[in-house]
Amino acid sequence: MTVTGGPMEEQWVDDHAGPVVRPYAVTRGRARPVTGTFDLISLVTAVQADVTPEAGLGPEHLAIVGLCQRMQSVAEIAAHLDLPVGTIRVLLGDLVARHLVEVREPRATGGLPDDSIFEAVINGLRAL
């Protein structure tokens, strides 16, 4: 990434893609989603196959809906769209609020297994 122009005129440019939009511009300066927390392994699925552009939905929102026609984790969405996870979380909050995607949060574990399970594993490994 290079910076062009003088001190009065800075323009961020990606050498291959052209001008780059900073993540805070994609979320309109928001750092937190309007709803949800979205763990990295939360699974996201689109509710509708086609979404028409509406007021308040940007191309990134539409890209998420398109990508989530097949179930994707939050981390996968961020990787595919090459956006920070925090930005994806904000955009997902918008989509959940509009009922365009469903998010399945990971199940909470019931705690650590009993010590007897660890002892059985160790004994089994020793027996090998």
Side-chain angles (χ1 to χ4, degrees), residues 25-110:
V26 172
T27 63
R28 290 180 230 109
R30 297 172 297 151
R32 292 188 185 3
V34 292
T35 184
T37 55
F38 312 114
D39 192 279
L40 284 175
I41 59 173
S42 297
L43 298 175
V44 183
T45 308
V47 174
Q48 303 175 29
D50 292 324
V51 176
T52 57
E54 307 173 13
L57 289 183
E60 294 81 8
H61 289 101
L62 301 176
I64 291 172
V65 173
L67 186 62
C68 292
Q69 296 302 311
R70 287 187 44 230
M71 190 177 294
Q72 303 281 329
S73 71
V74 172
E76 289 173 313
I77 296 167
H80 283 293
L81 298 182
D82 197 25
L83 288 170
V85 173
T87 301
I88 295 299
R89 287 179 173 139
V90 172
L91 298 175
L92 283 174
D94 298 342
L95 294 171
V96 167
R98 291 174 183 242
H99 306 289
L100 296 174
V101 297
E102 290 180 346
V103 179
R104 285 194 231 165
E105 296 294 338
R107 294 182 189 177
T109 59

Side-chain angles (χ1 to χ4, degrees), residues 113-128:
D114 188 16
D115 287 343
S116 63
I117 294 175
F118 292 120
E119 289 175 18
V121 169
I122 291 171
N123 291 336
L125 290 172
R126 285 185 185 146
L128 294 175

Side-chain angles (χ1 to χ4, degrees), residues 9-40:
E9 178 187 335
E10 281 192 21
Q11 180 180 3
W12 288 86
V13 177
D14 182 293
D15 295 332
H16 300 288
V20 175
V21 177
R22 293 192 180 187
Y24 66 81
V26 172
T27 63
R28 290 180 230 109
R30 297 172 297 151
R32 292 188 185 3
V34 292
T35 184
T37 55
F38 312 114
D39 192 279
L40 284 175

